[in-house]
Amino acid sequence: MRAVFAVFRHELRRIFTVRPAFAVFILGAGIYAAFYPQPYVNEALRNVPIVVVDRDGTSSSREMVRRLDATSDVSVALVLPDLPSAQRAVYERAVSGILLIPGNFERDLLHGRPSPVALYADAGYFLIYQRITGAVSAVARTLGAEVESARLVGAGVDPAVAGAVVDPMPLTAVPLFNPQGGYATYLLPAAFVLILQQLLLIGTGLLGTTPDPDRPRAGPLATVAGKHMAYLVPETLVLPFYLIVLPYLYEVPRLGSTVTILLFALPFVLAVSGLGLIASAVFRTPLAVQLATAAVGLPVFFLAGFAWPPEAMPEAVRLIARLLPSTAAIDGLVRVAQLGAPLSEVAEPFLTLWALAGLYSAIAIALAFRR
């Protein structure tokens, strides 16, 4: 134990004295926390501008435009007389879509005939396209249902029966854990875990590859155990800040208890620091560690399972993803912190992290023994 504590004290001192490591462990964590969430502060897109070409000019077409402009998703920025003018507005990036209301729109509706409207939306930006198509579809369905219901009532059908005919199965959607339907609430909890993994991986790799002539003499087991203990010290500050304080500051819903979150995060830190010790033994120089971690950053992001669904990945790719601590950590920490799940309901990712921590620590000990 004396050798373990000697390594622990020495490595902890190096975290704060080796400038590259300090920049990653402390300064990097602060910079990421300040700047990374800023693009997502508004949560969801609002009032995406579109242009309307109304070839009908009736009360029904104007009512559709008015309702569309009243939605929170879309704003009718322009009403132009012809399609070429609307296309120029799209090419100039003044608007992101075109709604074309055809002639005889109201007449066809009153006669019970289909009266389709044409929507041309910019699909180059997925979120913009989603907002425009969703708003136009909702308004068109609502207006069409009201017209059909009024026609049935005028034909002598009971209003309640007419309403059931045009909308026999109404849907009431209640978002439980993302009440704003925002992108930040979905993305930030997972992104914070990825940031923590990247910072810890780079920091441990830099410490392991920076020359250390004064390191204490200790066996491989004592060396790895002492370094694990040292890396836990800065993480006792960084982890609660990222997993508890930042979600509160950015109004991300958090239903889990602090104790459960920190208990789940413990094997995550051990697994990542073990992987960092392996990286430092394999790459040997600080520059090689930085280049390697930078190269795998984007693949790790997509393998994490929230940018692209794991069910759509090949089995071999999913196996690689399971070897990364971030995959199990994101799955478990999001359920624990944001959904309020108890530790018993996340037993699989929790045990996976402990298994990865043991595996990577054993490999790090073996590599230290060889050296």
Side-chain angles (χ1 to χ4, degrees), residues 264 321-322 324-333 348-350 352-353 356:
F264 192 95
R322 283 193 284 269
L324 298 171
S326 56
T327 304
I330 289 173
D331 179 26
L333 282 172
E348 182 180 350
F350 186 62
T352 299
L353 287 174
L356 291 177

Side-chain angles (χ1 to χ4, degrees), residues 57-137:
T58 59
S59 59
S60 296
S61 64
R62 289 192 293 270
E63 176 65 13
M64 183 173 184
V65 174
R66 186 193 67 79
R67 293 192 182 192
L68 189 60
D69 190 46
T71 65
S72 61
D73 296 331
V74 169
S75 170
V76 178
L78 298 169
V79 178
L80 297 177
D82 52 61
L83 193 58
S85 301
Q87 289 175 334
R88 283 196 298 272
V90 172
Y91 297 150
E92 294 169 358
R93 296 292 183 181
V95 295
S96 299
I98 303 171
L99 176 66
L100 175 62
I101 302 177
N104 301 325
F105 173 74
E106 184 178 70
R107 187 183 68 180
D108 289 341
L109 284 178
L110 295 178
H111 282 82
R113 295 193 294 265
S115 184
V117 296
L119 174 65
Y120 305 90
D122 183 1
Y125 297 94
F126 175 72
L127 292 179
I128 291 177
Y129 176 80
Q130 184 186 45
R131 290 292 173 181
I132 295 175
T133 55
V136 173
S137 298

Side-chain angles (χ1 to χ4, degrees), residues 12-350:
L12 183 60
R13 184 171 62 252
R14 294 183 72 229
I15 291 174
F16 294 96
T17 55
V18 177
R19 291 184 179 181
F22 178 78
V24 172
F25 273 109
I26 308 301
L27 299 182
I31 292 172
Y32 266 113
F35 291 103
Y36 184 84
Q38 296 307 314
Y40 312 105
V41 167
N42 292 328
E43 279 280 2
L45 285 173
R46 300 284 187 240
N47 297 321
V48 178
I50 67 169
V51 60
V52 173
V53 178
D54 186 0
R55 291 178 175 173
D56 194 42
T58 59
S59 59
S60 296
S61 64
R62 289 192 293 270
E63 176 65 13
M64 183 173 184
V65 174
R66 186 193 67 79
R67 293 192 182 192
L68 189 60
D69 190 46
T71 65
S72 61
D73 296 331
V74 169
S75 170
V76 178
L78 298 169
V79 178
L80 297 177
D82 52 61
L83 193 58
S85 301
Q87 289 175 334
R88 283 196 298 272
V90 172
Y91 297 150
E92 294 169 358
R93 296 292 183 181
V95 295
S96 299
I98 303 171
L99 176 66
L100 175 62
I101 302 177
N104 301 325
F105 173 74
E106 184 178 70
R107 187 183 68 180
D108 289 341
L109 284 178
L110 295 178
H111 282 82
R113 295 193 294 265
S115 184
V117 296
L119 174 65
Y120 305 90
D122 183 1
Y125 297 94
F126 175 72
L127 292 179
I128 291 177
Y129 176 80
Q130 184 186 45
R131 290 292 173 181
I132 295 175
T133 55
V136 173
S137 298
V139 170
R141 284 196 304 267
T142 302
L143 186 60
E146 290 178 2
V147 170
E148 179 65 16
S149 177
R151 191 178 68 83
L152 292 174
V153 170
V157 178
D158 183 82
V161 176
V165 168
V166 297
D167 191 9
M169 193 167 55
L171 172 67
T172 301
V174 181
L176 296 178
F177 304 108
N178 190 352
Q180 300 184 56
Y183 195 55
T185 301
Y186 168 76
L187 176 73
L188 287 182
F192 286 156
V193 176
L194 279 178
I195 291 171
L196 288 169
Q197 174 175 277
Q198 195 76 349
L199 293 176
L200 183 55
L201 187 61
I202 297 173
T204 53
L206 289 176
L207 283 174
T209 53
T210 301
D212 183 19
D214 300 326
R215 65 177 180 271
R217 299 180 65 85
L221 180 60
T223 299
V224 172
K227 289 185 176 183
H228 273 318
M229 292 171 57
Y231 301 146
L232 283 172
V233 173
E235 293 304 312
T236 57
L237 301 176
V238 175
L239 270 169
F241 182 66
Y242 267 79
L243 301 180
I244 298 168
V245 176
L246 285 182
Y248 173 78
L249 293 177
Y250 290 105
E251 299 181 352
V252 175
R254 187 180 67 81
L255 302 178
S257 68
T258 301
V259 174
T260 307
I261 295 171
L262 297 181
L263 279 176
F264 192 95
L266 175 60
F268 168 64
V269 174
L270 296 176
V272 177
S273 59
L275 192 58
L277 293 174
I278 295 173
S280 65
V282 171
F283 295 106
R284 299 296 183 91
T285 65
L287 179 59
V289 169
Q290 294 178 62
L291 292 175
T293 51
V296 301
L298 193 58
V300 170
F301 173 81
F302 284 106
L303 289 172
F306 66 95
W308 185 258
E311 293 79 10
M313 299 179 187
E315 185 58 35
V317 176
R318 293 173 64 182
L319 178 61
I320 296 173
R322 283 193 284 269
L323 295 175
L324 298 171
S326 56
T327 304
I330 289 173
D331 179 26
L333 282 172
V334 168
R335 284 198 276 166
V336 166
Q338 271 63 54
L339 309 186
L343 208 57
S344 59
E345 293 187 7
V346 291
E348 182 180 350
F350 186 62

